[in-house]
Amino acid sequence: MNSWRRALLYIGRRKKKSLFLFLVMCASLLSVMVAVGLRETSQAVTAGLKEKLSGYFTVTPNLEVDGTARYLNDDLCKEIVQGENLLTYNGNDVFYMSLPDVKLTPGRFTAAGEEEDAHAACFLATTRSEYQEQFYLDNLNLVEGEHLEEDDEGQALISTVLARDNGLEIGDTFQSVVTENYRGTNEAALGNVYTYQVKGIFQVKDESEADSERAEFDFPENYIFIDIQTDRKIVSDLRGGEFDWYRNGVNFYIRDSAQFEETLEEVADEFHFDTDGYEIEQNNGKYQSSAEPLERVSFLTGIFIVVMIVLGIVILYLILFLWMRDRKHEMGIYLAAGIGKKGIFGQLIMESFLLYVAAAITAGLCAATLSGVVGRMVFTGDTAGMTELISGHSGGIGYMMAATAAGFLVILAAVGMSFLTVVKMTPKEILSSN
């Protein structure tokens, strides 16, 4: 009878011991696999967060210092974002204008009967509305349509409340008019009419309550976001001259937020933003609040992996060693029956190998499921949307295979050491020993 058949017969005959060894192997492998998968996923999610939750800094010109605002234009911004760690930029501008045919969320001007001011809305121009602070910080969420882009013209984003109250949908148009109170410095602009097409509709995260002390243009529901090309045409009309810079500052987004400080210092120094002509405001909190816990998870799971590997090796080695020592009388019988030492050793290895392969397959299947479940429990908030990474990061497969191979070497060592204590004895010595 060959080693394979003897191994299978022994496993079938000693079901309880075989099941116990299988469960020990499976538990050791599963704990290591889940920990490795979680560590790899946390590292991958952290890397993804560096762009998904890009930190940013805002450069705002001091309008009292000549030339600072004009310097902050698209040519300069595009040059800045050529930097290795700069992702993109978003320029901002703000003005106020009347919407005589649009119903706004009422405020203090409506209560006071001041008709012109009651129809005035805040227009916020943006290079890329996806990176406009209100949207980036999730105070506003686009629920219909598309975000504004740099090359758009005559496009606008409005709130769900404004769309509902005025029966506006994607593709519809509305108009604003230059009135006496909001004509800027150019009297010739008085009466100008501007038309906007609704490109997107946003939801205000925390809807405003009725407030008769609050101006209509301060309600987020009354905000009108427009593209930067339209803004420049309107503001040029209101000022009576060409306008192509960002009076209300520019947000520069960092590609790798872990290097936020270094990147900010380099940009400020190279482009002379570290002067009285500009104010720089930092915002890296969104990345830090999510990345720091993930880095702790990665560190703790690294420790857990080491501990579980060491414990798994020790426990598996001791169980196998003692199990094999208990079988020395059985080995003596095999030797007396004329079975060679290589055949006996092959059988012992085959028994452990069969159980280990079954444990590895079971642990692998369980780990594939548990990694996703544990990942969804651990990664929440801004990381919850990264479904592909959370469902199971494939980068851990190599580590899991290495851990499986290391476990087999432990089995080989345990069986080999226990067998050596017996193989030096004769069958008579083995059978007569306690």
Side-chain angles (χ1 to χ4, degrees), residues 90-96 121-135 148-150 152 155-157 196 223-235 243 245-251:
N90 177 67
N92 304 287
D93 194 31
V94 179
F95 64 86
Y96 299 86
C122 178
F123 285 73
L124 298 98
T126 173
T127 315
R128 300 168 186 81
S129 61
E130 180 181 2
Y131 287 98
Q132 207 279 342
E133 283 184 294
Q134 295 286 340
F135 289 97
L148 300 172
E149 299 293 340
E150 182 180 6
D152 285 343
Q155 303 294 307
L157 306 181
Y196 315 88
Y223 288 170
I224 309 291
F225 291 89
I226 64 171
D227 61 83
I228 204 66
Q229 304 301 330
T230 302
D231 168 76
R232 284 175 177 166
K233 181 182 185 305
I234 294 174
V235 176
F243 170 83
W245 59 89
Y246 295 109
R247 298 176 303 167
N248 293 90
V250 180
N251 311 122

Side-chain angles (χ1 to χ4, degrees), residues 303-366:
I303 295 175
F304 180 72
I305 289 169
V306 173
V307 171
M308 290 309 301
I309 288 175
V310 172
L311 284 176
I313 288 173
V314 172
I315 292 171
L316 191 57
Y317 181 87
L318 288 175
I319 289 175
L320 277 170
F321 185 81
L322 293 173
W323 190 15
M324 295 303 167
R325 287 287 298 273
D326 288 342
R327 296 176 63 185
K328 67 179 181 179
H329 282 79
E330 180 186 343
M331 295 181 205
I333 294 171
Y334 288 150
L335 288 170
I339 300 174
K341 295 176 181 178
K342 288 184 179 180
I344 298 172
F345 182 70
Q347 176 190 337
L348 299 177
I349 288 294
M350 197 58 62
E351 292 168 4
S352 300
F353 177 74
L354 290 172
L355 290 172
Y356 189 71
V357 168
I361 293 172
T362 304
L365 293 173
C366 293

